[in-house]
Amino acid sequence: LTPEVQRRVTESKDRILNEIFQVRFIPGSLELIQKLKARGLRLALVTGTRGEVVSRIFKEGLNPPEADFDVVITAESVERKKPAPDPYLKAVEMLGLRKEECLVIENAPAGITSAKGAGLRCLAITTSLPASYLKEADAVLAGLEDVASLFNNH
């Protein structure tokens, strides 16, 4: 395809995706974020999504506000994206924490590979894929409510 045709196809794809785009949070995500912030924990959002889309999610979804995250790593934040360890390594560095102080919550194999490659502990949740796809994680839980329960008495 010529560069002009490629540009027109990309613009059409982006227009269609923007028309059908809906903000939906994983059940329990807003509550978990608030619980962890109330405990004084530092949070990072590490996503392969482009920054403009993340901004739109924050804006249209109202919550969680971007301020709930101490660090936001998007597709443009690193040269090598998930499954490379770079996004999580950058998040740890920007948080100013040691790797052993961090816990990653993932829902996709590429993210799990990225987290484990960065030397981090990783919980997986089965909100997008069945557990059989997430077995590289240190533990697999049904959802964020199960993750939240881990913080109830600690």
Side-chain angles (χ1 to χ4, degrees), residues 46-48 78 80-88 106-107 110-112 114-115:
V46 179
T47 179
V78 291
R80 295 187 319 151
K81 297 158 189 47
K82 297 176 186 178
D86 303 32
Y88 282 111
E106 265 292 348
N107 66 344
I112 296 167
S114 178

Side-chain angles (χ1 to χ4, degrees), residues 42 61 144 154:
R42 297 181 45 80
L144 291 176
H154 302 286

Side-chain angles (χ1 to χ4, degrees), residues 2 4 14 20 59-60 64 74-75 86 95 97 133 142 151 154:
T2 67
E4 175 60 22
D14 289 345
I20 64 173
K59 180 179 165 197
E60 291 186 22
T74 65
D86 303 32
L95 286 169
L97 298 172
Y133 289 91
F151 292 90
H154 302 286

Side-chain angles (χ1 to χ4, degrees), residues 3 21 32 50 77 88 116 151:
F21 180 80
L32 179 60
R50 293 188 333 269
S77 301
Y88 282 111
K116 297 305 292 176
F151 292 90

Side-chain angles (χ1 to χ4, degrees), residues 32-43 68 70 95 97 151:
L32 179 60
I33 290 167
Q34 295 307 314
K35 177 183 240 181
L36 297 178
K37 286 305 284 186
R39 294 186 72 151
L41 297 176
R42 297 181 45 80
L43 302 180
D68 281 343
D70 300 287
L95 286 169
L97 298 172
F151 292 90

